Amino acid sequence: MAGPTIAFWQEHFDRGTMPWDRGGPSPALTAWLPQVRAGRTVLVPGCGSGWELAELAKAGAVVTGIDYAPAAVAKARALLEERVLLAEVVEADVLAWSPAQPADMVYEQTCLCALHPDHWTRYAGQLHRWLKPGGRLFALFMQKARAGASQGLVEGPPFHCDVNAMRALLPADLWEWPKPPYAATPHPSGSFELAVTLVRR
Ligand SMILES: C[S@@+](CC[C@H](N)C(=O)[O-])C[C@H]1O[C@@H](n2cnc3c(N)ncnc32)[C@H](O)[C@@H]1O
């Protein structure tokens, strides 16, 4: 499998070197929260330490986080327990896992950019299958262009989520795109993410 492995992510959590981790929920989620009504099902792939799971659970959503690194799952479960919040945290590969029922929403924050682009088509298929028709994908597209791309190098994580690539990956016949420009959210790694809400057709 091309790209980072479970061991790669596990090691980052074990060492406590998580440059992506805000130590709290992303301001982009705070901006989206008013759209998340209580009782709605929300999936959070690559949930990491679980900051966003806690915020969504607090808003009354029925939340499921998915992460394949055991240390991430343990951290997220511990956070929820500490805050006395209910959310499911599943230890699974986002490329293989499926929910029992299609969800109302997916919150995609730094999972796509953690995957090697060789897996993006499969992941995009998962996102489409996970959602009900009319369901929303709250996506944060990581903007981390690298000089090596001009020589064809594929570098990451994070892998740059160029908007042209995103349009090809999540095509307009399967996803309703809002009109740009999109809001930029600064990322702790020094880059930024474009916040786009897509509707699953
Ligand atoms: C860059 S971290 C982001 C964590 C969290 N979303 C955040 O923003 O703080 C990427 C996370 O995705 C998880 N991940 C990467 N590939 C995965 C896969 N194929 N299946 C499940 N989890 C995966 C990693 O274990 C890690 O926790």
Side-chain angles (χ1 to χ4, degrees):
M1 281 251 290
T5 58
I6 299 178
F8 170 89
W9 295 108
Q10 176 73 20
E11 205 178 307
H12 274 277
F13 283 101
D14 285 346
R15 289 193 181 158
T17 48
M18 294 108 74
W20 61 81
D21 196 310
R22 288 183 171 88
S26 167
L29 176 63
T30 311
W32 273 324
L33 264 188
Q35 295 185 47
V36 181
R37 275 188 259 134
R40 294 294 165 107
T41 47
V42 187
L43 307 178
V44 184
C47 62
S49 303
W51 304 113
E52 286 72 26
L53 301 183
E55 210 58 17
L56 286 159
K58 205 161 70 183
V62 178
V63 192
T64 305
I66 310 106
D67 205 296
Y68 69 0
V73 171
K75 262 179 99 61
R77 285 181 182 159
L79 178 75
L80 292 160
E81 199 178 315
E82 184 192 305
R83 298 193 178 177
V84 199
L85 291 166
L86 271 184
E88 190 182 3
V89 188
V90 183
E91 187 178 320
D93 187 337
V94 295
L95 299 175
W97 179 84
S98 302
Q101 306 289 335
D104 296 307
M105 300 178 185
V106 172
Y107 182 74
E108 158 50 57
Q109 176 183 300
T110 53
C111 186
L112 176 65
C113 73
L115 299 171
H116 188 282
D118 281 3
H119 307 303
W120 282 4
T121 310
R122 189 162 151 204
Y123 182 56
Q126 289 284 80
L127 294 174
H128 199 264
R129 277 187 293 276
W130 290 353
L131 279 169
K132 296 174 180 168
R136 279 162 195 257
L137 171 61
F138 296 133
L140 291 164
F141 295 134
M142 176 63 71
Q143 301 305 295
K144 183 77 179 173
R146 293 162 194 274
S150 63
Q151 298 172 298
L153 298 177
V154 178
E155 294 171 278
F159 297 96
H160 177 51
C161 297
D162 175 81
V163 75
N164 296 339
M166 297 302 101
R167 294 292 300 222
L169 192 65
L170 304 162
D173 57 337
L174 297 181
W175 299 92
E176 197 182 303
W177 279 76
K179 279 199 169 60
Y182 307 125
T185 306
H187 193 264
S189 64
S191 47
F192 67 97
E193 296 159 299
L194 286 182
V196 187
T197 304
L198 301 177
V199 180
R200 186 234 200 254
R201 293 191 196 275

